[in-house]
Structures are given as structure tokens and as C-alpha cells.
Amino acid sequence: MTAEIRFFWARLNANYWFYPATFAILAAVLGFVAVYLDRNGFAQFLSNYDWLVPVRPKGAVDILTVMAGTMIGVASTVFSITLVAVTYASSSYGPRLLTNFLEDKGNQVSLAAFIGTFVYTMIVLRSVRAEDEVAASTSDAVATNLPGFAPQLSLLIAYLMVGACVGVLVFFLHHVPSSIRISMVLEKVGKQLLNAVRDTYPIEEEFRDARQSEGGETIAATSSGYVQMIDFEDLEHCANEHGCILSLRVRTGDFVHRDLPLLDVKGASAQDLREAVQPHFTLGPVRTREQDPQYLIDQLVEIGLRALSPGINDPFTAITALHWLGAVTSEIARRDLRKDVCGKDADECPVIPLPDTYEHYLQRGLGSMRSAVATSHSATMVMLDVIAKAAHPVTSSERKAGLRNQADLLIEQAREHLVGADLRQAEERYREVQQLIPS
């Protein structure tokens, strides 16, 4: 249940409407509180400051009307600019990057600030009463003591909020063009991936073999979709309750459909557990970053492959993607890839995750880009350099051999595409990698 709550909060927090809706509610509450303070005389202290000239009802209406109209107009502009940026990013970098821009907190908070200020000004505007109006009730007349009512404290807060919105607008106009720069996009994805790797595999410099499946009766999926989350805590509780061992057949990010295996059960009847374990696999139409570092690897690979496609032919973007993939590949190579899903000794855990091998990550990242990289001389040279640098801090000879194998496969494919001086330079760089990563 804890994992489900965390996943629900992550998905809720990622929605584009979450911050605007939250700010609108908070602004409405602030508006009612500020008007209450004004109506009950708590703002009388403002009259002690000569530089705060009191605003009459007519002026208050005009000021609040201008503020509200301006805020909703700017909010519409912010939303339009965000849509243009999202459209550009998805067409240039790939549709899977669309989520990154919609989840961008800078875009969300910017829109939320203007929406919140608009809601606040509308709440305050409702309370202003012209001097020739009749009080709505006896208590209203007693509270104001004037033929008209202009909330001085509420107006002052509105001024401060509009001033803050001006700063937010300046930030937004800088943030949007900055956020769609390809180097910034790759940096954001790369750092998210490095953090995901460190969180998923916290133990360094230990290279024990992952625990293998213990088999048993198979429980199959009953619906279709991507595995967005696996609630390991509830699966552990379920296994302990039935005295069995659960060996997973899928990992987060895999696509399943009806009758594909989800897990194996040893020590209990699969029929008895089928209804109990199904809810602990959250399926959805898209992959998410939660529990799925491979999703971020695929984003880097997608940008690199699109950049190397003949229609775009942008090897320098691919080179940047290779640099981040190299950093991630090296980070993974130094970590124990056994998932400690139970928070204790993995050998005693009744839930056995599908093993994540280093070769799996190598193929998912550098291996997926290798064929396209081999067609570009500059990208080939950089990938060989990336492989050598990735292997430098690695102490595991087996994982170094995996990196060496990627270099072998790359030069083999490059020989089919490169000719002349380009091929000679690639061969020379390959020989240097051989010396740095001996077989």
C-alpha cells in the first residue's frame, strides 16, 4: 500500500493541472481570509502608514478588474507557449519526451501563479461595494461603517501577488527556450537516470550473482498494458502469509497482455494466490519513470537515433546522448544489480525479481545505438572513446569484457559503412581501446 501511495502521488504530482488546481484552491482560501480580515477591522493598522493611500470602492473595482483580466490573459499566453514548446519538442526529440515537458515544474508553477492570482482577484472583487449601494445585511453595514467597502489589506496582497507574477513571467520567458535546448533536455534525462540507478542499486563495488527464479506454478496476466509499478511490499506480505516464494517473470516497463506470465509460485497453489497478487501489478497505457530506469535509457537512445537518422543528420546531438549513456553505463558497471526489494538479505526474501544483468543494460543503451553510430565517422570515434572512459573506473573484469565486446561489435559494423581515412582513424582508435580494455 505504501508503494501504491507513492506511485499515486508521483502520478498526481506529474499532471499538468495539479499545481494550477492547487494554487487556485489556496488563492481562493487566501481571498476569503483577507476579505474577512478587512471586513472585521483587522486591517486598520494600514491607516498608520501615510504612503499607503486608501483606495476608494470605484478605484478598487477598476484595479481588481485590470488585474483579473491581465492575469487570465497572461495565463492563456503561458499555456499557448507551453503547447508550442511541447509540440516542437515531441516532433524534434521524440514523442516519449512529451511527458518530460508536461511534468516540468517550471511550466506548471508558472501557469499556477497566474491562475491563482486570477482566482484571488475575483474573490476580492466580489466583496467590493460601491458607495451608493445598500448594505447586503445589518451585519454587513456594521462591519464596514461606510456607505461603500474597499478591502485595503486584500488589495495590498493583490499588488504583491501581481508583482510576484511579473517575476514569474520573466522566469517563464527564460525557462521555456532554455528547457527545449537539446543539451538541457539530455542533461535533465541523464541526471534523472543517474539518480534512478543509484536509488535502484545502492550498493557499490559488489558483483554478486542475482538470485535465480525458483520456478513453480505460473500466474498469468488478466489484462493488457505496460507494467507501471510492482508493489513489492504487498507481494512480500502475500508470500509470507501463504508461506511461498514468488519469482517474477516481468519487470517494470514490460508490456503484458492476457495469459502472459507475471510470476511463478513455489510452495502454494497459484489458484489460491491469483486474485491476491494481480492488484499488486499496476498496468497502464504508457511507461513511467517510477521503478523503470530503462525508460530513461530508451529516451536517450531515441534522441540519439533520431539525430543520426538521414532525415535529421545531427551527429553532435547523438554525441551528447552517447556521453550521458557512457556515464550511466559506467555507473551501472560499479553497482550490485540485485534488487533488495524486501529491505533485508536478498537470499531470505520471498519475492525474487527478474534479474537485471549488466549485459542487459549494455544492449539496451550502447547496443541499441551501435548500428546507427557505425554509419557516422564522428559518432563512431566518440562511442569508442565513451566505451574506454566507461571502463576506466570499473573493477569487474566480466563487465569490462562486456564493454570490450561492444567496441568489437561497433568496429565490425563500422567496417561495412566507413571507408578511406575515416575507417583508418576508427581502426586506430579501436586499437587504443583494445589496449585500455585488454581481453
Side-chain angles (χ1 to χ4, degrees):
M1 184 60 69
T2 303
E4 292 177 356
I5 294 173
R6 289 199 302 266
F7 180 76
F8 171 77
W9 172 249
R11 291 295 88 213
L12 181 65
N13 191 38
N15 282 297
Y16 189 63
W17 53 262
F18 176 73
Y19 280 96
T22 302
F23 275 43
I25 294 172
L26 294 176
V29 173
L30 176 62
F32 284 116
V33 170
V35 170
Y36 171 82
L37 295 176
D38 273 307
R39 287 173 61 85
N40 290 274
F42 291 100
Q44 291 297 323
F45 70 93
L46 294 177
S47 61
N48 298 328
Y49 301 97
D50 295 336
W51 54 273
L52 284 177
V53 180
V55 181
R56 303 303 298 171
K58 179 63 168 65
V61 170
D62 293 341
I63 292 170
L64 290 169
T65 301
V66 170
M67 286 181 177
T70 302
M71 289 301 104
I72 197 63
V74 175
S76 301
T77 302
V78 166
F79 181 70
S80 301
I81 293 175
T82 301
L83 284 183
V84 171
V86 166
T87 303
Y88 169 79
S90 62
S91 61
S92 300
Y93 311 143
R96 271 147 294 281
L97 272 296
L98 179 66
T99 305
N100 294 29
F101 290 92
L102 290 177
E103 294 180 1
D104 185 273
K105 295 300 182 288
N107 296 337
Q108 293 179 355
V109 172
S110 297
L111 179 62
F114 298 112
I115 294 294
T117 303
F118 168 76
V119 171
Y120 175 84
T121 53
M122 292 300 295
I123 295 294
V124 176
L125 181 60
R126 176 184 176 276
S127 70
V128 179
R129 189 177 67 247
E131 296 179 352
D132 57 350
E133 290 185 27
V134 178
S137 63
T138 303
S139 60
D140 182 40
V142 172
T144 57
N145 296 319
L146 287 173
F149 174 66
Q152 305 297 326
L153 177 61
S154 302
L155 280 168
L156 180 59
I157 295 174
Y159 270 107
L160 295 175
M161 293 178 69
V162 170
C165 285
V166 172
V168 171
L169 180 60
V170 174
F171 160 78
F172 177 78
L173 294 177
H174 166 76
H175 176 73
V176 169
S178 176
S179 64
I180 61 176
R181 288 168 50 199
I182 188 59
S183 57
M184 299 297 293
V185 174
L186 287 168
E187 179 191 27
K188 183 176 180 179
V189 175
K191 287 185 175 180
Q192 287 177 343
L193 179 52
L194 287 171
N195 291 332
V197 168
R198 291 165 184 152
D199 291 341
T200 305
Y201 310 109
I203 302 176
E204 289 192 73
E205 304 304 336
E206 292 188 19
F207 310 107
R208 293 171 294 176
D209 293 333
R211 187 178 173 189
Q212 297 302 309
S213 169
E214 297 195 10
E217 298 182 49
T218 299
I219 295 179
T222 57
S223 57
S224 302
Y226 289 98
V227 180
Q228 294 181 326
M229 186 202 72
I230 301 174
D231 194 335
F232 292 105
E233 294 179 9
D234 284 355
L235 284 177
E236 178 190 4
H237 176 74
C238 184
N240 288 330
E241 183 179 354
H242 290 81
C244 62
I245 296 177
L246 305 178
S247 303
L248 272 61
R249 301 277 295 273
V250 297
R251 58 172 62 89
T252 311
D254 289 348
F255 186 87
V256 299
H257 54 77
R258 191 163 62 92
D259 293 334
L260 281 184
L262 284 179
L263 52 84
D264 294 330
V265 181
K266 180 181 179 182
S269 171
Q271 185 66 32
D272 297 338
L273 281 170
R274 182 169 285 107
E275 297 297 327
V277 301
Q278 291 284 354
H280 306 322
F281 292 83
T282 301
L283 304 184
V286 296
R287 295 170 63 187
T288 62
R289 291 196 301 265
E290 285 74 27
Q291 294 186 347
D292 188 9
Q294 297 166 107
Y295 178 59
L296 296 170
I297 293 177
D298 291 346
Q299 288 187 346
L300 291 176
V301 170
E302 180 180 12
I303 294 175
L305 292 178
R306 289 172 70 91
L308 290 172
S309 64
I312 298 179
N313 192 24
D314 181 12
F316 294 102
T317 294
I319 286 171
T320 306
L322 283 170
H323 285 152
W324 283 105
L325 280 174
V328 172
T329 300
S330 182
E331 190 70 32
I332 296 174
R334 288 177 282 179
R335 296 186 174 271
D336 183 357
L337 299 183
R338 299 195 307 167
K339 291 181 180 178
D340 186 13
V341 298
C342 293
K344 56 184 178 182
D345 189 350
D347 293 332
E348 299 178 2
C349 182
V351 180
I352 305 175
L354 188 65
D356 294 329
T357 64
Y358 185 60
E359 184 62 31
H360 167 78
Y361 280 111
L362 268 179
Q363 185 57 39
R364 195 78 181 227
L366 295 177
S368 297
M369 285 191 63
R370 189 179 60 245
S371 298
V373 167
T375 64
S376 169
H377 167 255
S378 56
T380 299
M381 298 291 286
V382 169
M383 183 166 173
L384 288 170
D385 187 52
V386 163
I387 290 174
K389 289 180 177 179
H392 176 71
V394 177
T395 58
S396 170
S397 58
E398 181 181 352
R399 294 182 179 181
K400 279 192 172 185
L403 288 164
R404 166 68 180 266
N405 182 56
Q406 289 297 321
D408 296 340
L409 295 173
L410 174 60
I411 196 63
E412 181 181 342
Q413 291 184 282
R415 288 165 182 158
E416 299 177 3
H417 298 280
L418 305 181
V419 294
D422 288 347
L423 180 57
R424 288 195 297 272
Q425 288 181 341
E427 293 278 9
E428 182 179 351
R429 181 63 60 86
Y430 170 66
R431 287 191 290 272
E432 293 175 359
V433 173
Q434 284 182 309
Q435 294 175 357
L436 292 172
I437 316 177
S439 57

